[in-house]
């Protein structure tokens, strides 16, 4: 029995001894995965271990980007409209920088409640835009809006806000190219610019017999892009000019890779153009020097059936926002496409997703208080709002001022409410 017990003891001892290295190695590997915060690839003995590059110590701070327009845990674009008598941000009807078609007070609109709504995010406070502070933070920089007349609407809104603190003799407006206009605040050495490019990509023409036919070149953007380089803040938009009619059926209207499309769905054409734009941004923008924004689609209100008023005349004579959320339009297919393009980009682009919050504001359009060909509407035209009302652009002061507050918050309040890491 003594020999048998001794044999068993030696056997157990040998088994335990053979297992100890494996146990120790397992503990080391587990410990390293839990605690290691150095290189993503490292060695333990003869073993090479690869771990995720994002440890708790390495995960970058959430950027204000397409997936998270956030101050801490706050989504700026989810919230409600609150009536606030401290608005607007500049006197109604007095700004000389707005296009007259946006000057609703000057064109006869006598109500003012449409100027007294501010946007309240659900879980944080959107900072009120302080023009002196924004100009100070833009000192020595260029901010450029690029796009269509809705982006011009927002650009002019920002000029009106800045005009409250910049004396007339200390600001310069000038045409800087056939496509662009610049407002310069001399005391801050900063410029606020607008570049006209409703499709973002370039337009051209081809000979069609004795006539010249305009075309849209879906893969050409370099001529426009030459003006966008070295800008510190770029705010793009597009989309409105892609939605005229269910199908674009103009012969020779689109070109890509020297191929002429006789017919192309607007959404398909828009996507091709957005991919061209995205490639340009990825190739030409240095994210350590330039912030890029893309403002989402601005809704129109051409059908009063949306807010259950079948006898209404589009947006005309509307005096308050939509309050019933069930009347808000479904999320647009072109916005879904846009988000997909942005998420596939290498350069971070902040999506200003103003589509839904703007859809509440059926009261904010010029309606018949606008101009046509440089003239106010005649009494006969004003009595025909279905044909002459503008339910696409926005009165100033008005909704575009809030878009600029969202831009202001995303650009400059991160140091108070959240951090931005490129």
């Amino acid at each position: 029995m003594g020999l048998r017990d001794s044999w068993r003891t030696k056997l157990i001892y040998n088994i335990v001894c053979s297992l100890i290295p494996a146990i120790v190695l397992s503990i080391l590997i587990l410990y390293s995965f839990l605690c290691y915060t150095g290189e993503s690839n490292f060695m333990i003995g003869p073993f090479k271990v690869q771990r995720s590059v994002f440890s708790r110590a390495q995960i970058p701070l959430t950027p204000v980007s397409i997936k998270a327009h956030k101050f801490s845990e706050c989504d700026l674009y989810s919230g409600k409209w609150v009536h606030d008598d401290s608005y607007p941000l500049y006197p109604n009807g007095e700004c000389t920088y707005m296009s007259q078609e946006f000057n609703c007070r000057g064109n006869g609109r006598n109500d003012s409640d449409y100027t007294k709504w501010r946007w309240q995010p659900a879980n944080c406070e959107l900072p009120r835009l302080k023009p002196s502070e924004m100009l100070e933070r833009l000192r020595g920089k260029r901010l450029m809006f690029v796009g269509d007349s809705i982006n011009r609407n927002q650009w002019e809104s920002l000029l009106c806000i800045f005009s409250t603190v910049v004396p007339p003799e200390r600001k310069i407006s000038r045409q800087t190219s056939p496509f662009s206009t610049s407002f310069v605040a001399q005391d801050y050495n900063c410029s606020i610019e607008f570049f006209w490019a409703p499709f973002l990509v370039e337009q051209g023409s081809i000979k069609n017999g004795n006539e010249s036919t305009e075309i849209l070149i879906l893969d050409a953007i370099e001529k426009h892009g030459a003006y966008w380089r070295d800008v510190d803040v770029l705010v793009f938009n597009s989309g409105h000019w892609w939605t005229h009619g269910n199908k674009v059926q103009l012969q020779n209207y689109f070109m890509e890779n020297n191929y002429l499309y006789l017919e192309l769905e607007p959404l398909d054409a828009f996507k091709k153009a957005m991919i061209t734009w995205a490639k340009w941004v990825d190739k030409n923008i240095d994210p350590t020097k330039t912030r890029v924004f893309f403002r989402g689609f601005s809704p129109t209100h051409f059908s009063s059936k949306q807010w259950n008023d079948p006898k209404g005349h589009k947006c005309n004579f509307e005096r308050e926002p939509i309050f019933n959320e069930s009347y808000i339009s479904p999320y647009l297919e072109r916005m879904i496409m846009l988000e997909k393009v942005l998420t596939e980009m290498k350069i971070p682009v902040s999506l200003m997703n103003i589509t839904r919050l703007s859809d509440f504001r059926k009261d904010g359009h010029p309606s018949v208080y606008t101009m046509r060909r440089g003239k106010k509407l005649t009494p006969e035209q004003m009595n025909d709002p279905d044909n002459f009302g503008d339910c696409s652009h926005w009165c100033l002061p008005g909704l575009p001022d809030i878009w600029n507050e969202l831009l202001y918050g995303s650009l400059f309040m991160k140091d108070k409410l959240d951090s931005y890491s490129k």
Side-chain angles (χ1 to χ4, degrees), residues 57-88:
Q58 293 174 312
I59 294 177
L61 296 172
T62 304
V64 184
S65 67
I66 178 175
K67 294 184 178 179
H69 303 266
K70 296 182 179 180
F71 293 151
S72 298
E73 295 302 317
C74 177
D75 181 354
L76 285 180
Y77 300 91
S78 176
K80 63 181 179 181
W81 287 100
V82 176
H83 195 270
D84 189 332
D85 285 329
S86 70
Y87 281 72

Side-chain angles (χ1 to χ4, degrees), residues 181-243:
T181 305
S182 176
F183 168 98
V184 180
Q186 291 177 291
D187 291 336
Y188 298 90
N189 190 31
C190 77
S191 63
I192 313 301
E193 306 170 38
F194 173 69
F195 187 95
W196 173 255
F199 297 105
L200 297 183
V201 294
E202 297 167 15
Q203 295 171 265
S205 63
I206 58 172
K207 284 289 185 180
N208 186 11
N210 294 326
E211 297 182 355
S212 196
T213 301
E214 289 190 358
I215 61 173
L216 197 60
I217 310 172
L218 298 174
D219 54 355
I221 201 169
E222 284 296 330
K223 290 181 181 178
H224 289 171
Y227 294 95
W228 307 339
R229 292 188 179 93
D230 302 321
V231 176
D232 299 283
V233 181
L234 286 162
V235 183
F236 292 95
N237 97 296
S238 190
H240 296 271
W241 283 45
W242 300 91
T243 57

Side-chain angles (χ1 to χ4, degrees), residues 31-42:
Y31 178 82
S32 297
F33 270 91
L34 290 174
C35 302
Y36 185 77
T37 57
E39 298 296 326
S40 60
N41 298 318
F42 54 97

Side-chain angles (χ1 to χ4, degrees), residues 10-20:
K10 289 182 179 180
L11 179 61
I12 294 171
Y13 175 83
N14 289 334
I15 293 173
V16 171
C17 289
S18 64
L19 290 176
I20 286 175

Side-chain angles (χ1 to χ4, degrees), residues 65-66 69 75-78 119 293-297 331-332 335-336 338-339 350-358 403 406 410:
S65 67
I66 178 175
H69 303 266
D75 181 354
L76 285 180
Y77 300 91
S78 176
W119 180 248
F293 292 83
F294 200 102
R295 182 181 52 72
F297 190 80
Y331 201 53
L332 299 172
M335 283 299 299
I336 296 172
L338 171 62
E339 289 194 10
S350 300
L351 173 64
M352 295 183 63
N353 201 348
I354 53 85
T355 302
R356 186 175 186 276
L357 68 86
S358 302
W403 297 347
L406 290 162
S410 297

